[in-house]
Amino acid sequence: MMSRMRLGVLTSGIGIARHCLSKNALFQRNCRRHFSSLDLNVDSKTGVAVLSMNKPPVNSLNLEFLTELNIALEKVENDKNCRGLIITSSLPRIFSAGLDITEMYQPDIDRLQEFWRTLQDMWIKLYGMNRVTIAAINGHSPAGGCLMSISCDYRIMAPNYSIGLNETQLGIVAPFWFVDAMLNTVDFRQTEMALQLGTLFKTEEALSIGLIDKMVPQEEVLTAAHQEMQRWLKIPGFARQLSKTELRRPTIEKLIRKKEEDIGYFRDYITKDAIQKSLGMYLESLKNKKK
């Protein structure tokens, strides 16, 4: 899990800056919805939405940003004209650096629990989404960024970046649903080693173990995602959706059953003195790097 420091870049909430075009205009032009930290553009001709994260400096996932992501995912799922979703980043060299460490260091307990609940909800929405989902990974994607990527149906990544669930490097344990998502993507042995060692895989390594599905040059990531989307959209939607549901439902239902237990475990673990000390040292090291 990486973090952006408190440099005045915290989002101010989940307000939508501008509403969608009218329903009649939807069939004539793109429908663009602006949030404070992301942009959602639905192409009415292709039925493909592009969700571009834009929360400098590293698209770190704090409570407000996760709330915006939840709203955007709901809009995509509820838009009858939308058939597929591409998730990417507007920032150079970063897809998402994962969870915001400052949400977990010396936290307000109520906010901490709401933060984790909102993360759970985001994952359930993305992992179980009926629409085709493709991650256009145009930068580094550690921890929570990796979770978002492997929650999509297909992953395309530019070379010379890294991806993986590296929580143990910060003294944090990936929750069971992170683990399950990884196990459903790569084999048990790769997951076992990667989660214990906190491994970040280079693009080429990630491709070789199936953590991503395709590698293309940086400037071709989004184009390749649109091209791949067309292959998926040729399949009858109901058959593809039911197949996805059958495969992913047990993993999702496991978290739904254990949501409150998982929140309690996270709260109790992250507030341990040893973990707080480790997080504090990590944040201090980031400050020193800025000097």
Side-chain angles (χ1 to χ4, degrees):
M1 298 181 185
M2 295 184 180
S3 169
R4 53 94 182 101
M5 299 306 298
R6 294 188 183 277
L7 297 174
V9 296
L10 284 173
T11 56
S12 59
I14 61 171
I16 300 175
R18 190 165 62 188
H19 291 290
C20 181
L21 298 170
S22 68
K23 290 183 179 179
N24 290 334
L26 178 63
F27 296 98
Q28 301 173 1
R29 66 186 81 175
N30 292 349
C31 178
R32 188 179 298 274
R33 299 176 175 95
H34 294 280
F35 300 79
S36 64
S37 299
L38 53 85
D39 185 56
L40 177 63
N41 183 38
V42 183
D43 188 320
S44 59
K45 292 183 179 180
T46 64
V48 177
V50 176
L51 178 63
S52 187
M53 297 179 286
N54 187 21
K55 181 176 176 289
V58 292
N59 288 329
S60 58
L61 305 174
N62 68 351
L63 175 57
E64 288 78 15
F65 191 32
L66 286 168
T67 302
E68 285 196 352
L69 284 169
N70 276 330
I71 293 172
L73 293 175
E74 286 181 1
K75 287 184 177 297
V76 168
E77 191 79 313
N78 294 330
D79 189 339
K80 295 180 180 179
N81 299 293
C82 182
R83 303 169 61 204
L85 172 66
I86 296 171
I87 300 178
T88 192
S89 170
S90 298
L91 304 182
R93 299 186 57 80
I94 190 72
F95 180 74
S96 172
L99 302 186
D100 188 341
I101 300 290
T102 60
E103 290 283 10
M104 297 175 279
Y105 181 61
Q106 298 180 347
D108 172 84
I109 296 302
D110 289 340
R111 180 181 172 95
L112 180 69
Q113 293 181 140
E114 186 60 25
F115 163 71
W116 199 251
R117 182 176 290 107
T118 307
L119 176 65
Q120 291 174 331
D121 291 341
M122 185 277 292
W123 178 77
I124 290 170
K125 287 182 176 68
L126 181 57
Y127 197 64
M129 180 170 282
N130 284 332
R131 306 295 183 259
V132 178
T133 54
I134 295 178
I137 310 167
N138 52 350
H140 295 294
S141 188
C146 177
L147 178 71
M148 291 182 66
S149 300
I150 62 178
S151 297
C152 293
D153 299 317
Y154 197 87
R155 290 164 292 284
I156 300 172
M157 190 171 177
N160 303 316
Y161 293 121
S162 58
I163 184 171
L165 298 177
N166 63 322
E167 283 79 2
T168 54
Q169 292 190 26
L170 300 179
I172 301 173
V173 178
F176 70 86
W177 41 289
F178 281 52
V179 177
D180 288 347
M182 186 79 165
L183 283 170
N184 291 347
T185 306
V186 300
D187 63 36
F188 181 89
R189 182 56 178 159
Q190 289 289 351
T191 300
E192 182 180 43
M193 290 192 297
L195 266 65
Q196 290 188 67
L197 296 173
T199 305
L200 287 174
F201 298 93
K202 293 297 184 183
T203 306
E204 294 81 357
E205 297 172 310
L207 181 64
S208 70
I209 67 171
L211 190 57
I212 64 169
D213 300 296
K214 191 173 187 178
M215 179 177 67
V216 299
Q218 176 84 26
E219 65 275 11
E220 297 177 16
V221 171
L222 194 56
T223 299
H226 279 286
Q227 292 173 344
E228 180 64 29
M229 179 67 73
Q230 296 311 307
R231 181 166 74 103
W232 288 70
L233 293 181
K234 290 178 182 178
I235 306 301
F238 67 93
R240 183 199 57 75
Q241 290 173 21
L242 287 175
S243 297
K244 179 176 180 177
T245 298
E246 285 301 307
L247 288 165
R248 297 192 173 193
R249 181 170 54 194
T251 307
I252 293 172
E253 289 181 346
K254 182 179 176 181
L255 174 58
I256 291 174
R257 290 194 307 269
K258 297 184 175 183
K259 278 187 76 174
E260 295 306 315
E261 178 184 340
D262 180 58
I263 292 170
Y265 177 83
F266 169 73
R267 177 199 63 221
D268 294 343
Y269 180 81
I270 212 69
T271 54
K272 289 180 181 295
D273 290 342
I275 303 304
Q276 285 295 300
K277 182 178 179 180
S278 176
L279 294 177
M281 291 173 62
Y282 176 71
L283 290 173
E284 189 63 32
S285 70
L286 291 180
K287 288 181 182 178
N288 293 332
K289 288 181 181 179
K290 294 289 185 179
K291 295 179 180 179

